[in-house]
């Protein structure tokens, strides 16, 4: 009898040790529907409930989760305790104790506890970060597919124009000089546009490859004036205003900075009405250089504001 008691005691200690040291989430609900054991990996999910061991499972569940999920969990645990039927699920639900949505993979089984009565053991894994990462990856992939589709369309248009003009020049060698000049000018414009599109694609590829450059001291007014001169060539039908450029130095990649400001100015020109204003200025704001681009366009829709720095988003 003493040997049997010793074995039972050792089994109970082993069981408790396994539960408490499990690297994943695991907890045990006893026959009285109270928390009996809890692993270290499970504690972060119950941070707002203390003390936990000995607490009523129903009370704790209603504290942590919102309805109807809380009632569903309680029902599942009672069913497993009564019937021995296991249950496996993946859930993404709103917490009731904190303002967050969390995702878990979990399983419950009926077990015989050291006191000889039945209990329910729950194994779970917090997959919230993995779910968010997967969701983000899916969004990026969708945006990338859209970007590739847009890029293919944008590349096809100038190529079609160039090929069309070259074909006409080859078929009609005696074409009038003014028409020939117009065709050549059109092909030149489309070639410039094509070059710019390819440069944009290369910039995206460099960004994806995480190519880093060593920052250097850059005289901001000179760089902004270079970008401004590029903007002046973009349209004859805008009112360009170069405001005050405070003499500031910044640390950065001068080529990347110039590209950034040219893109902002291009957008300002593109989305301004005919005779609309495009203004450029720079000033010091605390320890930062603040560069402002204004235009008379409609602006960015409120729903798009949080996505303006998202890759591939147009």
């Amino acid at each position: 009898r003493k040997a049997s008691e010793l074995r039972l005691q050792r089994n109970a200690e082993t069981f408790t040790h396994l539960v408490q040291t499990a690297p994943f989430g695991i907890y045990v609900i006893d026959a009285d529907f109270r928390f009996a054991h809890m692993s270290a990996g499970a504690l972060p999910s119950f941070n707002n409930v203390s003390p936990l061991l000995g607490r009523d499972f129903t009370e704790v569940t209603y504290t942590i989760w919102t309805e109807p999920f809380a009632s569903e969990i309680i029902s599942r645990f009672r069913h497993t305790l009564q019937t021995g039927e296991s249950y496996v699920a993946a859930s993404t639900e709103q917490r009731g104790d904190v303002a967050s949505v969390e995702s878990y993979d979990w399983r419950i089984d009926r077990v015989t506890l050291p006191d000889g009565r039945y209990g329910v053991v729950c194994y779970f894994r917090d997959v919230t970060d993995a779910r968010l990462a997967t969701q983000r990856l899916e969004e990026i992939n969708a945006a990338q597919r859209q970007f590739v589709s847009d890029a293919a369309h944008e590349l096809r248009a100038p190529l079609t124009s160039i090929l069309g003009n070259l074909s006409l020049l080859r078929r009609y060698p005696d074409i009038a000089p003014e028409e020939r000049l117009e065709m050549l000018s059109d092909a030149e414009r489309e070639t410039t546009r094509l070059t710019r599109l390819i440069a944009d694609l290369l910039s995206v590829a460099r960004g994806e490859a995480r190519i880093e450059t060593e920052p250097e001291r850059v005289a901001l007014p000179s760089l902004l004036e270079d970008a401004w001169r590029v903007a002046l060539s973009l349209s004859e039908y805008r009112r360009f205003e170069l405001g005050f450029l405070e003499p500031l130095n910044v640390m950065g990649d001068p080529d990347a900075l110039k590209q950034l400001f040219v893109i902002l100015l291009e957008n300002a020109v593109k989305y301004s009405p005919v005779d609309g204003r495009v203004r450029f200025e720079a000033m010091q704001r605390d320890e930062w250089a603040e560069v402002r681009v204004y235009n008379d366009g409609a602006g960015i829709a409120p729903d798009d504001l949080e996505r303006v720095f998202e890759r591939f988003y147009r």
Side-chain angles (χ1 to χ4, degrees):
R1 181 175 61 81
K2 286 188 176 293
S4 297
E5 289 176 352
L6 183 59
R7 282 196 299 271
L8 286 173
Q9 181 181 351
R10 288 175 177 170
N11 288 340
E13 291 172 351
T14 300
F15 176 83
T16 301
H17 177 74
L18 288 173
V19 170
Q20 291 177 345
T21 59
F24 50 88
I26 178 171
Y27 57 88
V28 179
I29 306 302
D30 63 19
D32 298 322
F33 227 50
R34 294 183 178 278
F35 283 89
H37 302 282
M38 177 76 62
S39 73
L43 289 175
S45 297
F46 296 89
N47 273 341
N48 294 323
V49 181
S50 181
L52 188 60
L53 295 183
R55 292 281 291 275
D56 180 73
F57 178 72
T58 299
E59 175 196 348
V60 173
T61 301
Y62 280 128
T63 299
I64 293 178
W65 298 107
T66 58
E67 288 285 34
F69 184 59
S71 294
E72 179 185 342
I73 292 177
I74 294 167
S75 175
R76 291 292 182 186
F77 271 72
R78 288 195 182 281
H79 180 77
T80 296
L81 182 62
Q82 293 167 5
T83 67
E85 182 180 340
S86 299
Y87 181 73
V88 180
S91 305
T92 298
E93 300 291 338
Q94 171 69 51
R95 295 270 301 212
D97 56 340
V98 292
S100 66
V101 175
E102 296 182 359
S103 299
Y104 292 90
D105 290 339
W106 53 287
R107 174 191 177 98
I108 54 176
D109 295 297
R110 189 171 73 177
V111 294
T112 301
L113 299 178
D115 63 4
R117 297 195 298 172
Y118 287 132
V120 178
V121 59
C122 176
Y123 317 90
F124 70 91
R125 200 160 52 94
D126 187 340
V127 295
T128 305
D129 291 341
R131 178 187 63 83
L132 292 174
T134 300
Q135 179 181 335
R136 178 63 177 157
L137 186 60
E138 290 173 352
E139 291 174 354
I140 290 174
N141 286 338
Q144 188 169 5
R145 286 193 296 271
Q146 183 63 49
F147 174 80
V148 170
S149 175
D150 291 346
H153 175 77
E154 293 288 344
L155 291 170
R156 186 166 55 244
L159 284 173
T160 300
S161 176
I162 292 169
L163 288 173
N165 283 313
L166 291 176
S167 177
L168 286 173
L169 289 170
R170 181 176 56 82
R171 290 167 57 190
Y172 302 103
D174 297 328
I175 196 168
E178 60 274 12
E179 292 183 25
R180 175 187 294 272
L181 181 60
E182 183 178 346
M183 290 179 182
L184 289 173
S185 297
D186 184 57
E188 185 179 15
R189 283 193 301 272
E190 293 300 333
T191 302
T192 301
R193 178 184 170 199
L194 189 59
T195 302
R196 187 170 63 251
L197 288 170
I198 292 172
D200 290 344
L201 290 173
L202 288 174
S203 295
V204 171
R206 289 188 63 194
E208 288 294 300
R210 299 290 193 271
I211 296 175
E212 296 184 359
T213 58
E214 192 68 28
E216 59 185 82
R217 193 174 183 84
V218 179
L220 191 60
S222 176
L223 184 144
L224 295 178
E225 287 170 357
D226 289 345
W228 182 249
R229 281 191 288 270
V230 174
L232 294 177
S233 66
L234 297 177
S235 174
E236 300 177 3
Y237 307 104
R238 301 293 187 273
R239 291 184 290 110
F240 291 97
E241 298 177 4
L242 182 59
F244 176 64
L245 302 179
E246 191 166 343
L248 302 171
N249 292 315
V250 298
M251 295 300 294
D253 179 341
D255 291 335
L257 286 172
K258 179 179 176 180
Q259 182 185 30
L260 167 65
F261 296 126
V262 168
I263 289 172
L264 290 172
L265 287 166
E266 281 182 334
N267 283 332
V269 171
K270 182 177 180 180
Y271 294 103
S272 292
V274 174
D275 293 330
R277 179 188 64 144
V278 175
R279 181 176 172 82
F280 201 34
E281 62 186 34
M283 64 203 71
Q284 183 169 350
R285 181 75 63 183
D286 298 325
E287 298 302 315
W288 300 88
E290 183 172 285
V291 179
R292 297 185 177 187
V293 180
Y294 301 85
N295 76 344
D296 293 330
I300 301 173
D303 292 343
D304 292 331
L305 285 174
E306 63 182 19
R307 306 187 66 181
V308 294
F309 293 107
E310 186 175 316
R311 288 180 299 176
F312 310 116
Y313 191 75
R314 296 173 68 88

